[in-house]
Amino acid sequence: KKTANPWLRPLLSIDVAKIKYWETYYWRQASQVVAVSQADREEMQRLAPGLDVKIVPNGVNLDLFKKKTSWRSTTPTILFLGNFTWMQNTEAALVLINQIFPLVKKEVPKARLHIVGQHQPQSLIEKQQKDIIISKLAEDDIDSVIKANYDASVSANPLWGPGGTRLKILAAMACKLPIVSTEVGVRGLGVVDNRHVLIRNTPESIAEAIIKVIKGEKKAMELAENAYAFVKETYDYEKIAEKLSQIYLSLSKKPVVSHVEP
């Protein structure tokens, strides 16, 4: 509705309608439907009332990530990580570059912004300059993701687009990287503002929170340690796998039933 060429919108609307139809059709044929977040479950049940949806969130391999042990840097680095085929990531990165980062620079002149991910559009690549680094990654470049999180001072997540579990948030937590995010950016994760992350919803307040983390080593460490304990308890792969295993086991005990289209 907002980004597509006006002449293409009717055709794209047809595609959206087809996707909704076939998604709900196959949800109803399944013996069990699983979503990755409470927000997704609620949306699925809105589209298909009465649908039984279990939640098995995306997890993170805690052993994969190198943990930060210091939250002080002579060159503070703000990190935004994402796959830019998802338009909400492009929107968030541009807000970060155009509205948030200039406010941070006024208070922290040595700050840098690092935009990392796959498939950056030209509109984003053109924003690269001395203190704004755009790093394009291959789809399977896990080592660069680990390094970007470890080298950063704070993860900024000014997302306003809904959907799914925020894997970039789980990665930052696993690395003990402090996080500043919008409410939408951490929706469904169960995190608590000022304990696990700093949640702010305007460019100005996000900039203030980033500055607070960069200048406050003690606060940065507190957020990082609390977030790591939370992700270890809630999103570690071993715990996620156990939840999914229990669903499989429960299905093995159910009789097979034929499904009919409502």
Side-chain angles (χ1 to χ4, degrees):
K1 291 180 180 178
K2 294 183 179 180
T3 44
N5 185 304
W7 296 101
L8 292 177
R9 288 176 194 170
L11 292 174
L12 294 176
S13 296
I14 294 172
D15 278 347
V16 170
K18 288 192 293 184
I19 290 169
K20 284 185 176 180
Y21 173 81
W22 286 112
E23 281 189 333
T24 54
Y25 175 85
Y26 282 109
W27 292 341
R28 292 184 184 280
Q29 308 312 303
S31 299
Q32 181 64 65
V33 180
V34 179
V36 297
S37 71
Q38 177 64 26
D40 281 1
R41 175 163 69 178
E42 291 174 358
E43 178 64 12
M44 293 165 81
Q45 291 176 330
R46 185 186 69 80
L47 294 170
L51 190 69
D52 179 21
V53 184
K54 307 293 186 189
I55 297 178
V56 179
N58 288 319
V60 63
N61 184 351
L62 296 179
D63 295 333
L64 183 67
F65 288 89
K66 186 178 180 182
K67 280 68 174 172
K68 294 179 70 67
T69 57
S70 173
W71 292 268
R72 179 183 298 174
S73 174
T74 56
T75 310
T77 302
I78 305 161
L79 173 68
F80 182 79
L81 180 69
N83 188 318
F84 292 90
T85 55
W86 198 50
M87 66 178 68
Q88 288 93 329
N89 278 333
T90 299
E91 176 191 47
L94 290 174
V95 169
L96 193 52
I97 291 170
N98 296 327
Q99 300 181 48
I100 298 172
F101 187 56
L103 297 176
V104 175
K105 286 288 283 185
K106 288 181 180 179
E107 296 293 326
V108 188
K110 292 184 178 180
R112 299 187 306 173
L113 177 59
H114 193 190
I115 308 292
V116 182
Q118 303 86 13
H119 311 295
Q120 290 99 334
Q122 189 61 32
S123 61
L124 190 57
I125 294 172
E126 290 173 354
K127 296 290 185 177
Q128 178 157 295
Q129 52 187 273
K130 179 182 177 182
D131 293 327
I132 300 175
I133 302 99
I134 312 291
S135 296
K136 186 173 183 180
L137 305 184
E139 293 283 354
D140 58 350
D141 190 354
I142 303 300
D143 290 340
S144 292
V145 171
I146 295 169
K147 185 177 188 304
N149 277 282
Y150 183 78
D151 291 344
S153 307
V154 57
S155 171
N157 192 39
L159 278 171
W160 281 272
T165 301
R166 309 306 192 185
L167 298 179
K168 63 172 71 67
I169 298 293
L170 301 183
M173 289 180 173
C175 185
K176 295 190 177 183
L177 176 64
I179 300 161
V180 176
S181 176
T182 57
E183 188 276 329
V184 169
V186 292
R187 183 176 295 164
L189 291 178
V191 295
V192 177
D193 180 30
N194 207 41
R195 176 171 175 78
H196 307 115
V197 302
L198 295 182
I199 300 176
R200 304 291 186 268
N201 290 307
T202 66
E204 294 77 15
S205 61
I206 291 170
E208 289 174 5
I210 290 171
I211 293 166
K212 181 177 181 179
V213 170
I214 289 174
K215 290 187 173 182
E217 183 180 2
K218 183 178 179 181
K219 184 61 179 179
M221 181 178 69
E222 177 188 320
L223 289 168
E225 294 289 358
N226 288 341
Y228 181 78
F230 175 80
V231 79
K232 183 177 182 180
E233 177 62 28
T234 312
Y235 292 101
D236 180 43
Y237 270 163
E238 186 175 345
K239 295 182 182 294
I240 300 303
E242 179 59 26
K243 289 182 180 180
L244 193 55
S245 293
Q246 291 303 316
I247 291 175
Y248 291 151
L249 289 171
S250 69
L251 289 175
S252 70
K253 299 171 185 176
K254 288 183 178 180
V256 176
V257 297
S258 60
H259 296 275
V260 294
E261 184 177 355

